[in-house]
Amino acid sequence: MTPIKECLINKSTKNKPIWLMRQAGRYLPEFREIRKKNTNFIELCLNEKLSEIITLQPIDRFNLDAAIIFSDILMVPFGLGQRVEFRKNFGPQLGDVNIDQLYQLEDKFFSERLNPVYKLLENLKNSHKLKNKDLIGFVGAPWTLLVYMLNKVSPKNGLSKNFFKDASMIEDILNILNRFIKLHIKNQVKAGATIIQIFDSWAGLIDDNFEKYLYQPTSSLVEFTKNLGVPVICFPRNIKDYKTYCEIIKPDAINIDYNVSLDNVLKNLKIPIQGGMNPKILLTDKETLKIETKKYLDIFKSYPYIFNLGHGVLPDTDPNMVDYLVKMVMDY
Ligand code: 1CP
């Protein structure tokens, strides 16, 4: 069994496996080199040869315990036929949603548009570089995808005033997403994903109606994934109540963000924990990094814990700091 599965399934506390959110990406010069020549981000995600190279770049460098496929949560709106572009120094920009069209969409249309993602997984599945490692597939949670689909730009650039006004539109989109995210999960598992991570990056924006926007849509995906026989890790970034979330949603593990109290988490959560350290620590110096990393390793010493961050690796991160971190966790 892989070190991560030992932790997720056997609840082993012996070793502390490590992988990092956004481990493939802009902080790596070898990624930037490829990105420079491939200005269309969606096309890059659909290029299974280059996506394979990019997925393996952090594995080649740091020998992490898992590879996460190079793709994006916004590939689902793209698969649904919505226009999705990534603008330089701005982020994603989506086109309008057409509900009638979405209701008529067939599974085949979606699966064919995203076929290169599944090819990527098939190609990686038997790679000798991933021996005794996991191959992580992922999806955005319905809420987070709804936010991008309706707001059409990142909430970092502001949330539209009318966002919560059209409750029936929200309900329609969540229904459609429930169907197609499941299809995306099923296709990824069939193609070789050994773990699924659900990113709910904007869960922290929900302040009412948790049942409808957070708990119900995500539980449905978690149950679906478990029934496929694959462990599922949830990352509901910046929510206030991880305890209730875990009790209702029952993922195999929970990725915490860096705002949580570690003592609370240890007292209240009963499932394996992943992540937590602030990615900004990687922008400091080795001494600070050592102290902070040790803090997490010590606190979770007798607890099933997968080392990761509280959010993705930042673009300004020095790869040498990541190297130092990985070695430290592996030598612990
Ligand atoms: O060169 C570039 O500008 C592209 C940067 C980039 C990369 C490397 C984007 C644009 N996406 C990705 C890959 C990616 N995205 C991965 C696979 C690589 C890896 O993790 O190693 C994953 C898992 C994601 C997930 C993702 N995309 C999330 C969830 C995690 C998180 O960071 O909160 C989100 C919200 C997105 C949307 C997205 N993709 C990219 C951008 C700039 C954004 C918008 C983020 C925002 O709203 O600010």
Side-chain angles (χ1 to χ4, degrees), residues 124-138:
L124 281 166
K125 172 166 74 175
N126 297 316
S127 165
H128 68 279
K129 292 187 177 181
L130 297 181
K131 209 169 154 245
N132 204 30
K133 297 182 191 298
D134 280 289
L135 178 56
I136 302 177
F138 65 90

Side-chain angles (χ1 to χ4, degrees), residues 167-309:
S168 81
M169 176 82 148
I170 290 182
E171 197 163 314
D172 280 338
I173 296 182
L174 286 177
N175 277 333
I176 288 158
L177 282 171
N178 178 271
R179 173 177 155 210
F180 286 98
I181 296 173
K182 281 179 180 165
L183 179 60
H184 195 40
I185 292 175
K186 191 179 86 185
N187 289 342
Q188 289 184 73
V189 169
K190 213 168 107 193
T194 62
I195 292 174
I196 294 291
Q197 173 136 332
I198 301 177
F199 289 96
D200 209 349
S201 305
W202 296 106
L205 290 179
I206 306 170
D207 56 8
D208 193 11
N209 252 329
F210 289 96
E211 187 53 40
K212 225 168 154 177
Y213 295 154
L214 183 64
Y215 299 145
Q216 200 280 323
T218 312
S219 324
S220 174
L221 299 184
V222 166
E223 194 187 316
F224 179 81
T225 312
K226 285 182 167 178
N227 285 336
L228 296 173
V230 166
V232 51
I233 304 172
C234 287
F235 178 38
R237 189 168 69 90
N238 273 344
I239 59 166
K240 298 210 172 58
D241 187 355
Y242 275 97
K243 181 169 185 276
T244 307
Y245 182 94
C246 290
E247 283 169 3
I248 294 178
I249 293 185
K250 304 187 182 70
D252 292 283
I254 182 90
N255 196 111
I256 53 174
D257 62 75
Y258 46 84
N259 294 317
V260 301
S261 141
L262 296 181
D263 291 335
N264 268 346
V265 157
L266 259 187
K267 216 166 39 207
N268 290 321
L269 303 188
K270 296 188 168 54
I271 58 173
I273 293 175
Q274 171 175 284
M277 193 172 85
N278 193 331
K280 284 194 178 141
I281 298 292
L282 286 164
L283 305 179
T284 61
D285 52 86
K286 285 189 177 160
E287 209 34 53
T288 311
L289 174 59
K290 189 172 169 182
I291 292 167
E292 198 64 18
T293 305
K294 193 164 179 307
K295 185 176 97 186
Y296 280 85
L297 290 170
D298 286 345
I299 286 180
F300 292 112
K301 199 177 170 121
S302 335
Y303 197 90
Y305 181 67
I306 302 164
F307 202 98
N308 203 319
L309 303 172

